[in-house]
Amino acid sequence: MNDDVSLGKPTPISVLKGVGPKLSERLIALGISSVEELLFHFPLRYQDRTRVTPIAGLKEGLDAVVQAEVRMASIIPGRRPSLVVKVADASGLLTLRFFHFRRAQANQFKPGAPISLFGQARSSRHGGEMIHPEYRLGATASFLESALTPIYPTAEGLGQAIWRKLTDQALERLIKHPPVDLLAPVYPASLSLSDAIHYLHRPPPDAPVGLIKDWQHPAQLRLSLEELVAHHLSLQALRAKERAFEAPKIAPYPELCKMFLDTLPFQPTGAQERVIGEIMADLSSHAPMLRLVQGDVGSGKTLVAAVSALSAIAAGYQAVLMAPTELLAEQHLRTFRAWLEPLGVTIAWLSGKVRGQARKETLQAIVEGDATLVVGTHALFQEGVSFNALALVIIDEQHRFGVHQRLALTEKASGAGYPHQLVLTATPIPRTLSMVAYADLDSSIIDELPPGRTPVTTTLVDSDRRAEVIARVGAACAAGRQAYWVCTLIEESDTLNAQAAEATAELLKSHLPKVAVGLIHGRQTPQEKERVMARFASGDLSLLVATTVIEVGVDVPNASLMIIENPERLGLAQLHQLRGRVGRGSTDSFCLLLYQQPLSLIGKERLNVLRESNDGFFIAEEDLRLRGAGELLGTRQTGAATFRVAQLPEHEHLLDEVQSLAQALLAKHPSLCELLITRWTGERQAFARV
Ligand code: ADP
Ligand code: MG
């Protein structure tokens, strides 16, 4: 094959029937501007509507079509009224539950009426049930289809029908204009690229459903391989590009570091010393450091960051530390002021809320080099921030930031060359994921906690038992201990979350009149948050009601009890982070997961992982197994693109081949690499997971 493959001029999406200017604009905004890009927009999953499942044969968590007869319908009153419909077929009885319904809807369900259902079954205390299934009433109604139904990742206002109509047309053109098989020179596949693409969009009626659901069909593996190679190559390219720049050489300054460490009331752990050594070796080279430090919650990453920053500053340069939330950044500011100001380091504070004259003065101090350490939030990405001699960029809690944001900050370097970069994360990256998601970074692990930590005992508690839990919080506070009460909501709205936390705080105050209750949430000003945190840290407040703003970094060792509401809605990594706020002192610590019934089997399994383990790495592996890579990478927060076909850990067995194919392609056909990277990793909007 010739190396200068050109993909030709891309066929614009507007050639497809039904794509007018408005839809075209919409698709382009989603990153789909050509027919080929549409072909590489694959279904996220499939629904199996090909056969009827008897009620007795329903499996937990699996979609199924059911044909049954209505037995009875009733509205269960309560705080959250629900419509309950009992249906039956020859094999058994099934309960349908609707939490959003109209009263008139209830009257539709006449006993004896034939009903067709499509939904996910789960088992509950009362037997099998479906929550909000799709349903059609009447003898002729049915959800049956002849082949698996593809479900496309989508965005608001774009229904599945639109995706199907568009991909139908794109697939028709596929035969005449097959996409170029870019892997062909190194990977003689038995299945052609076009056939694989066609298969994923329209699995035939006889497709092996189980294989496809497990993501192990040859067509899926074929495309996943290509996608993973593309991601690996893209990170390698990024790394090569960055490493080619010149960074300032920073010689280790052991005397100063020792002087600093001598001011602390503790000794660094062996793991901290080892990682500091790895960083010092990186810094003393002209190639920019690109290092990821993984360390479980509480392992002491801040100290590692401080020593690194101090070294850069002592060598005459500036360092910047950036955190994902205002609260965490403020805490770092306090820590660094206490640790480094006595050594003569001048620290500047920059967040989105520093405005006007204060901002102007801060920016001035940064550009003139008067401030040698800058601590802040994402405001640091904004235009108008320039440095005098930036040599080290430290990013705390990487999973909240994407690669692009990291790079945006490195562009701010001036005078000193390209900055060294240190990324800290408490969300351990499973080895499999790091190969394709973090291949641009070297990695260090702090695999030891400071001595004297007590593991947190975690218990699952049904929210019916809230009164007992409140009493327990009261008793702990009366005994001089401190507690967090964490409120969570599904809605990603600061306002609603704040309201929920406010309501909970009021409730707890009325039940626990002797306890000093504080409240912290994302709608407060930094000053308010700081004041509340300071009062909690000093012991003036015993109980802190909070939203997940306290997820990362907050450090109050005397707090030994944490209640987390609705834990079933959060990711395991996030729960582990939250739980890491307790177990920092010497008293026994407890975390109560106050879950809401009904809890699915998988939901229970997930929470049990936390009950059984305090090990962030183990939890991350389990989280990956139970939730998939996309969510673990934190795409919901960052909007970064996820994999389209590849699944981890299901495709772990492909990774060795991914690496060798990537190497071969890079060595022999570098121009194909670029095309492959563009095809699979181009800028895409975040699609909703449906
Ligand atoms: P994380 O890795 O979660 O960011 P921190 O850096 O916030 O952890 O450290 C957690 C707590 O442990 C802080 O109070 C910190 O001062 C303390 N700490 C850090 N290193 C040590 C150590 N070697 N010995 C004892 N305490 C330490
Ligand atoms: Mg931290």
Side-chain angles (χ1 to χ4, degrees):
M1 185 168 167
N2 187 329
D3 235 39
D4 21 78
V5 173
S6 116
L7 294 181
K9 217 166 129 49
T11 313
I13 200 84
S14 54
V15 304
L16 301 182
K17 268 201 308 256
V19 183
K22 230 170 138 191
L23 181 54
S24 170
E25 208 173 287
R26 194 74 217 280
L27 291 168
I28 290 169
L30 291 169
I32 300 177
S33 49
S34 70
V35 174
E36 173 165 322
E37 278 163 355
L38 179 63
L39 285 171
F40 281 84
H41 182 69
F42 292 105
L44 261 187
R45 60 189 177 87
Y46 303 90
Q47 288 175 345
D48 184 2
R49 302 180 180 226
T50 61
R51 63 212 146 83
V52 173
T53 306
I55 288 174
L58 291 174
K59 294 225 169 60
E60 171 91 23
L62 288 188
D63 290 330
V65 175
V66 170
Q67 302 282 17
E69 197 183 281
V70 175
R71 283 293 158 82
M72 57 156 291
S74 58
I75 294 175
I76 313 273
R79 206 156 51 102
R80 203 179 162 202
S82 60
L83 167 60
V84 170
V85 182
K86 306 258 184 207
V87 304
D89 66 5
S91 74
L93 201 65
L94 180 68
T95 304
L96 317 180
R97 270 177 214 285
F98 300 88
F99 296 105
H100 308 283
F101 62 96
R102 285 164 290 111
R103 267 175 200 265
Q105 209 175 335
N107 302 328
Q108 298 176 338
F109 297 96
K110 302 255 184 311
I115 183 169
S116 180
L117 301 163
F118 179 78
Q120 220 175 67
R122 56 208 254 168
S123 50
S124 75
R125 282 183 286 198
H126 321 288
E129 63 178 31
M130 282 186 183
I131 312 279
H132 280 275
E134 291 177 49
Y135 69 91
R136 288 176 193 156
L137 288 157
T140 54
S142 168
F143 286 101
L144 281 184
E145 285 182 20
S146 64
L148 286 182
T149 310
I151 304 294
Y152 288 91
T154 189
E156 213 186 312
L158 290 178
Q160 291 298 320
I162 294 183
W163 289 110
R164 260 171 249 162
K165 248 199 309 229
L166 296 181
T167 46
D168 270 341
Q169 298 178 59
L171 290 168
E172 266 172 42
R173 306 171 67 96
L174 178 65
I175 306 156
K176 263 198 258 149
H177 312 280
V180 182
D181 182 353
L182 300 169
L183 272 190
V186 292
Y187 182 73
S190 49
L191 183 66
S192 84
L193 180 62
S194 299
D195 286 348
I197 290 174
H198 199 285
Y199 202 100
L200 256 61
H201 284 284
R202 296 291 178 274
D206 62 350
V209 177
L211 210 57
I212 291 180
K213 290 217 153 150
D214 292 341
W215 299 90
Q216 301 298 332
H217 188 276
Q220 291 168 316
L221 295 177
R222 162 80 180 74
L223 286 162
S224 165
L225 189 73
E226 184 172 322
E227 179 173 32
L228 292 172
V229 168
H231 276 271
H232 189 67
L233 283 171
S234 113
L235 290 174
Q236 294 247 300
L238 182 65
R239 180 181 171 82
K241 195 171 137 212
E242 285 193 82
R243 292 282 288 179
F245 287 108
E246 189 148 314
K249 259 185 170 167
I250 296 169
Y253 192 167
E255 298 79 18
L256 183 67
C257 288
K258 189 168 173 310
M259 215 163 90
F260 164 54
L261 293 172
D262 283 348
T263 65
L264 298 178
F266 51 74
Q267 295 275 315
T269 61
Q272 282 171 321
E273 274 183 2
R274 177 173 40 79
V275 171
I276 289 172
E278 287 164 358
I279 293 169
M280 292 304 139
D282 285 350
L283 291 180
S284 58
S285 144
H286 262 316
M289 168 168 77
L290 296 169
R291 188 166 289 279
L292 174 71
V293 172
Q294 303 177 55
D296 210 341
V297 185
S299 61
K301 295 182 289 294
T302 316
L303 178 66
V304 170
V307 173
S308 311
L310 188 59
S311 304
I313 294 162
Y317 297 105
Q318 289 172 300
V320 53
L321 171 75
M322 200 177 60
T325 67
E326 192 105 3
L327 195 65
L328 180 53
E330 282 159 17
Q331 180 173 287
H332 280 319
L333 180 68
R334 273 197 300 279
T335 306
F336 281 82
R337 279 195 173 141
W339 284 356
L340 300 184
E341 273 183 354
L343 298 165
V345 176
T346 310
I347 303 177
W349 164 246
L350 201 57
S351 86
K353 292 181 178 140
V354 178
R355 296 205 190 102
Q357 189 58 24
R359 185 176 173 88
K360 231 167 113 188
E361 280 166 19
T362 305
L363 293 179
Q364 181 92 8
I366 297 172
V367 74
E368 285 178 0
D370 296 336
T372 45
L373 176 62
V374 184
V375 177
T377 58
H378 57 274
L380 284 162
F381 296 129
Q382 284 163 8
E383 303 201 357
V385 186
S386 35
F387 290 82
N388 183 272
L390 178 64
L392 175 63
V393 171
I394 304 172
I395 298 187
D396 195 12
E397 309 296 349
Q398 158 81 359
H399 67 293
R400 291 300 194 84
F401 295 109
V403 168
H404 298 292
Q405 285 164 307
R406 177 165 68 77
L407 294 179
L409 202 53
T410 63
E411 282 165 11
K412 305 221 169 277
S414 60
Y418 201 76
H420 295 285
Q421 296 165 54
L422 183 64
V423 172
L424 312 176
T425 179
T427 308
I429 322 291
R431 193 195 70 87
T432 49
L433 204 54
S434 66
M435 250 194 63
V436 282
Y438 289 88
D440 55 329
L441 302 173
D442 296 310
S443 134
S444 293
I445 300 181
I446 308 183
D447 51 5
E448 184 185 351
L449 290 181
R453 295 282 164 83
T454 50
V456 181
T457 307
T458 301
T459 319
L460 308 190
V461 184
D462 189 324
S463 60
D464 284 355
R465 291 168 52 202
R466 181 178 302 262
E468 279 168 56
V469 172
I470 295 176
R472 179 158 172 191
V473 169
C477 293
R481 289 190 290 274
Q482 287 173 283
Y484 297 97
W485 190 294
V486 186
C487 302
T488 66
L489 278 182
I490 310 177
E491 292 85 358
E492 298 193 353
S493 144
D494 267 3
T495 311
L496 288 176
N497 278 307
Q499 283 168 358
E502 268 161 21
T504 305
E506 286 313 310
L507 180 93
L508 290 170
K509 274 183 201 159
S510 70
H511 280 82
L512 303 169
K514 293 209 191 86
V515 174
V517 181
L519 172 66
I520 192 159
H521 58 66
R523 298 284 290 175
Q524 290 165 328
T525 64
Q527 290 79 8
E528 279 175 291
K529 277 188 277 182
E530 172 124 19
R531 211 160 31 227
V532 174
M533 274 324 289
R535 288 186 63 200
F536 189 63
S538 70
D540 191 17
L541 295 172
S542 310
L543 174 59
L544 186 61
V545 178
T547 59
T548 49
V549 294
I550 59 150
E551 178 187 339
V552 284
V554 171
D555 187 35
V556 179
N558 189 48
S560 61
L561 175 61
M562 172 173 281
I563 319 299
I564 304 179
E565 293 216 57
N566 305 313
E568 67 279 1
R569 292 172 183 171
L570 300 184
L572 287 188
Q574 199 180 1
L575 288 167
H576 179 61
Q577 284 276 334
L578 279 170
R579 181 176 62 177
R581 305 305 116 221
V582 291
R584 296 184 158 236
S586 49
T587 44
D588 287 341
S589 292
F590 301 89
C591 176
L592 307 185
L593 303 176
L594 203 55
Y595 67 86
Q596 199 82 40
Q597 287 281 17
L599 193 57
S600 69
L601 266 187
I602 294 215
K604 190 139 203 172
E605 194 185 340
R606 289 182 54 232
L607 296 184
N608 271 328
V609 171
L610 281 178
R611 196 168 58 98
E612 281 154 18
S613 176
N614 271 294
D615 174 351
F617 272 85
F618 174 77
I619 292 168
E621 295 278 359
E622 288 297 292
D623 206 14
L624 181 58
R625 187 172 69 77
L626 295 167
R627 300 215 307 170
E631 296 187 49
L632 199 65
L633 285 171
T635 48
R636 270 200 332 163
Q637 290 104 335
T638 62
T642 34
F643 302 131
R644 304 177 191 191
V645 182
Q647 295 293 319
L648 288 169
E650 288 86 347
H651 295 166
E652 200 173 347
H653 59 285
L654 298 177
L655 290 176
D656 285 337
E657 196 170 18
V658 166
Q659 221 164 13
S660 60
L661 287 180
Q663 242 123 54
L665 202 66
L666 193 59
K668 295 188 209 129
H669 309 275
S671 61
L672 295 186
C673 293
E674 269 169 53
L675 295 175
L676 199 65
I677 291 172
T678 314
R679 174 181 283 173
W680 287 97
T681 70
E683 286 281 332
R684 293 210 321 165
Q685 280 296 310
F687 286 95
R689 294 177 76 83
V690 284

